Amino acid sequence: MEFFRWVERTMEKQKVIDFPRAGLEYLENNEPPEDSPYYDFHKELVQFIKKLLPSPNDIKVRQHIIDELCERIKKALADLKPNNMNSRIIVLPCGSSMNGTFLPEADVDLILYFYPLPCNPVQVMDTLIQQLEDIVQVNSFQPIPQAKVPVLRFVVEPGIQIDLSIDELRGPLNVQAVRQIFTKFPSILPAQVFFKCLLHKAKLDHPYVGGINAYTLQLMLVAYIQHHGIPANITEAIIGICNFYGNEFNFTLTGIDVKGNGRFFSRYDEKHMTLESPTTMIIIDPLNRDPFNADSDILYLGLNAFRMNQIRQVLQEAYKNITEGNGKALLSTFEETINTFDEIRQRIDTFSEHLPKEQ
């Protein structure tokens, strides 16, 4: 019980943050020599990534949405609490909004946790669909109560999707640990933003469609740094990562473990081959154990990434374009994505004008 009180007291103080300064300094202050074949591309790449970074209004609006939803959800579900003075409802944010690497179109991740007794996900979702109707866009509710981790998805103004996970605390508990990973490896911060956008454009950025999420991507970038060292600049990082995971790394036969100094391991030797779905990947989660397997202390990520071959192809194409002198053409392929982001930003800016002035 004391643990949950600590979670409630501590995690509720976590706020949406800006892109970390160390990552911006790495992005801006490290460039290839002027005689490098990538010098001009590097300049454009830096500006491209900076366009993707959170704006003050992005941060302000997301924090407003989180604050309002956390309060509204707890109020809406108050009658579902057992008649027990110790019972609590926790609603907390997590995900990329809390580490400053979110894209303009990124979801806001929230978790809902009842303690000491679990809730009925169907009842919770039905209640929220009724009680949040006034602030949720019409026909945007997507309840998924049968998932391992039940999720309720919906969209709020100014067009931001909310993913509310039920009875799952790992996300909020990992916020500080994920921030610490970025602090230890600031060079992966701008790379994280670039690759998130690359995967987003290819619709490969969600596990439920066979892609990978931001946390799995982060661990892949950490593994690269552990084994190849810190790249001299963001262009070298992008080229190296695209080449390594696009052309060299065998996801079918090799697993990733970033604990300690990191290691790559044989999936065959450690009995982690998935012959029924050989195109997936496997990464050992350094922060969490498997909540659905009492016999294991290890949580494996990437097992649902059945589109890893497509992810490899995207990385191969990016590597080929950049190294063959077509890096600017590669960036131009993001035009539609950037236009979508600009439209979202315009809605966010308009929405922010109606928010209370900060004291």
Side-chain angles (χ1 to χ4, degrees):
M1 183 66 68
E2 186 58 35
F3 167 74
F4 293 107
R5 292 197 182 102
W6 173 82
V7 168
E8 195 171 20
R9 288 194 309 268
T10 305
M11 303 301 165
E12 281 187 345
K13 297 178 182 178
Q14 296 180 147
K15 301 294 183 182
V16 179
I17 66 170
D18 198 355
F19 185 74
R21 185 68 200 173
L24 189 60
E25 290 175 352
Y26 172 82
L27 178 66
E28 294 180 331
N29 298 338
N30 298 280
E31 59 182 36
E34 292 187 13
D35 60 353
S36 166
Y38 305 120
Y39 185 77
D40 291 338
F41 167 71
H42 174 85
K43 294 290 188 181
E44 292 203 15
L45 176 63
V46 169
Q47 293 307 311
F48 172 79
I49 292 174
K50 290 174 74 171
K51 283 182 184 178
L52 302 174
L53 302 184
S55 71
N57 280 342
D58 289 335
I59 297 167
K60 179 181 178 181
V61 168
R62 282 173 181 267
Q63 189 62 59
H64 170 80
I65 290 171
I66 288 170
D67 292 342
E68 181 179 31
L69 281 175
C70 287
E71 190 63 31
R72 285 289 302 268
I73 290 169
K74 285 191 284 189
K75 184 177 179 180
L77 299 176
D79 291 341
L80 298 185
K81 288 195 306 180
N83 292 323
N84 182 332
M85 63 181 298
N86 291 320
S87 64
R88 292 285 190 278
I89 298 173
I90 299 176
V91 187
L92 297 171
C94 56
S96 60
S97 291
M98 310 308 291
N99 61 48
T101 63
F102 59 91
L103 299 176
E105 203 174 28
D107 306 339
V108 167
D109 296 309
L110 299 176
I111 69 95
L112 167 65
Y113 200 90
F114 280 68
Y115 76 89
L117 299 175
C119 65
N120 179 326
V122 174
Q123 185 182 23
V124 165
M125 292 183 187
D126 287 345
T127 301
L128 291 177
I129 289 171
Q130 293 176 14
Q131 296 295 321
L132 300 181
E133 187 178 19
D134 60 312
I135 60 172
V136 173
Q137 290 188 359
V138 177
N139 298 324
S140 71
F141 280 113
Q142 298 179 53
I144 313 174
Q146 73 278 10
K148 268 189 177 182
V149 177
V151 177
L152 177 63
R153 294 194 173 103
F154 53 92
V155 178
V156 298
E157 292 297 337
I160 293 177
Q161 179 171 303
I162 310 299
D163 282 3
L164 176 67
S165 301
I166 298 176
D167 282 345
E168 171 58 83
L169 273 178
R170 284 179 298 165
L173 291 174
N174 288 348
V175 166
Q176 288 301 324
V178 169
R179 288 180 181 178
Q180 289 169 6
I181 291 174
F182 280 130
T183 299
K184 184 177 180 181
F185 302 101
S187 58
I188 72 172
L189 277 158
Q192 175 91 354
V193 172
F194 174 82
F195 284 112
K196 284 177 74 170
C197 191
L198 185 69
L199 294 175
H200 177 79
K201 179 170 73 77
K203 296 180 171 55
L204 294 168
D205 55 341
H206 290 291
Y208 59 82
V209 294
I212 57 175
N213 62 21
Y215 179 49
T216 300
L217 172 62
Q218 181 190 34
L219 297 181
M220 289 172 62
L221 301 184
V222 169
Y224 177 82
I225 297 294
Q226 287 176 326
H227 291 272
H228 293 83
I230 299 173
N233 52 70
I234 185 59
T235 298
E236 182 180 302
I238 299 301
I239 292 172
I241 292 163
C242 285
N243 183 47
F244 181 65
Y245 287 119
N247 297 315
E248 298 177 358
F249 192 81
N250 190 322
F251 289 98
T252 303
L253 299 178
T254 310
I256 298 171
D257 182 1
V258 301
K259 292 179 181 177
N261 294 323
R263 69 186 180 106
F264 298 125
F265 59 89
S266 166
R267 294 179 63 175
Y268 177 81
D269 290 345
E270 300 197 14
K271 298 180 173 56
H272 293 307
M273 296 294 291
T274 51
L275 298 180
E276 69 281 3
S277 184
T279 59
T280 61
M281 66 181 298
I282 189 167
I283 299 181
I284 295 176
D285 189 333
L287 303 179
N288 305 288
R289 58 174 296 171
D290 190 344
F292 304 105
N293 185 355
D295 297 325
S296 175
D297 287 331
I298 299 175
L299 177 63
Y300 297 103
L301 306 174
L303 294 175
N304 294 326
F306 57 84
R307 297 174 70 190
M308 281 310 301
N309 280 345
Q310 290 170 260
I311 292 174
R312 288 194 67 188
Q313 289 171 4
V314 168
L315 298 176
Q316 288 169 358
E317 290 171 7
Y319 174 78
K320 186 173 184 291
N321 275 313
I322 297 171
T323 56
E324 292 184 357
N326 298 317
K328 293 183 180 181
L330 170 67
L331 296 182
S332 70
T333 65
F334 288 90
E335 182 177 359
E336 184 176 343
T337 302
I338 295 298
N339 288 340
T340 300
F341 288 171
D342 287 343
E343 292 173 6
I344 293 170
R345 281 243 169 90
Q346 289 175 8
R347 295 201 301 268
I348 287 172
D349 291 344
T350 301
F351 185 84
S352 70
E353 293 174 0
H354 302 286
L355 297 180
K357 300 293 183 182
E358 295 181 358
Q359 299 297 320

